[in-house]
Amino acid sequence: MLKALKKGTRIAKYGSYAGEDILEMSGARGERLFGQFAFTPSAETEIKSVEFDGFFGKKNFPAGTEIEWAACVKLNKASCSYGLEGEVPEVLVPLSRMLSERSYSRIARGENRVFCCSFTIPRDCGRGEYTGRLVLQTESAAYEMEVRL
């Protein structure tokens, strides 16, 4: 399962979270936008790639995309006055490193992998709606999620 996480969403339980089927963002020309999405497999698997195919609309553009793995710490109970428990992002790891180390790319059934992505809107981009597609490829299947701008 591949789901978009809204700003401020935290993963409350291992293997489940409140997610959306579409990652929606809005911004102005020249801005850099940030989003999060999570992958939770129904069976053990290995992540082979995570890619974004660019935005398509009045003008197609690649969006200067960066995708990183948000390595998380599992907290069984609240650890401070913030009251956080569950999976809390600790550090952003370059996607290339995550995919090159099997201990990171291998994922058990019901475990979460959270990713952060960023997109740059070109300065010459016209107003309107644009759509793109994030694709996460595992050893056995491809998972897609629409991205709307």
Side-chain angles (χ1 to χ4, degrees):
M1 173 175 17
L2 192 60
K3 294 285 188 179
L5 301 178
K6 291 186 175 187
K7 188 175 181 179
T9 300
R10 65 183 169 87
I11 299 172
K13 294 182 179 177
Y14 311 134
S16 66
Y17 48 85
E20 303 291 328
D21 293 327
I22 299 170
L23 181 58
E24 292 186 275
M25 296 186 267
S26 62
R29 297 176 199 143
E31 281 189 331
R32 189 138 187 93
L33 305 176
F34 298 88
Q36 286 186 309
F37 59 98
F39 174 64
T40 308
S42 56
E44 185 175 322
T45 191
E46 184 172 353
I47 298 171
K48 297 295 189 180
S49 67
V50 184
E51 298 177 353
F52 180 68
D53 64 3
F55 283 108
F56 301 92
K58 291 180 181 177
K59 176 182 179 181
N60 301 340
F61 60 92
T65 308
E66 290 183 23
I67 301 173
E68 297 176 303
W69 169 45
C72 294
V73 174
K74 292 181 180 179
L75 302 176
N76 293 322
K77 61 181 182 176
S79 62
C80 61
S81 60
Y82 296 119
L84 296 176
E85 64 181 275
E87 293 183 49
V88 180
E90 178 184 40
V91 65
L92 294 178
V93 177
L95 189 60
S96 58
R97 177 159 183 227
M98 183 239 181
L99 296 174
S100 69
E101 295 191 32
R102 191 172 167 96
S103 62
Y104 295 154
S105 62
R106 193 92 195 142
I107 180 170
R109 176 184 180 270
E111 194 175 310
N112 298 310
R113 284 291 186 273
V114 178
F115 297 90
C116 293
C117 55
S118 62
F119 309 95
T120 300
I121 303 171
R123 292 197 180 279
D124 63 347
C125 180
R127 292 180 130 190
E129 291 188 13
Y130 295 84
T131 59
R133 187 174 54 118
L134 277 164
V135 179
L136 186 143
Q137 180 69 50
T138 67
E139 59 193 354
S140 59
Y143 299 85
E144 295 183 11
M145 183 176 58
E146 184 178 336
V147 181
R148 286 187 191 159
L149 177 63

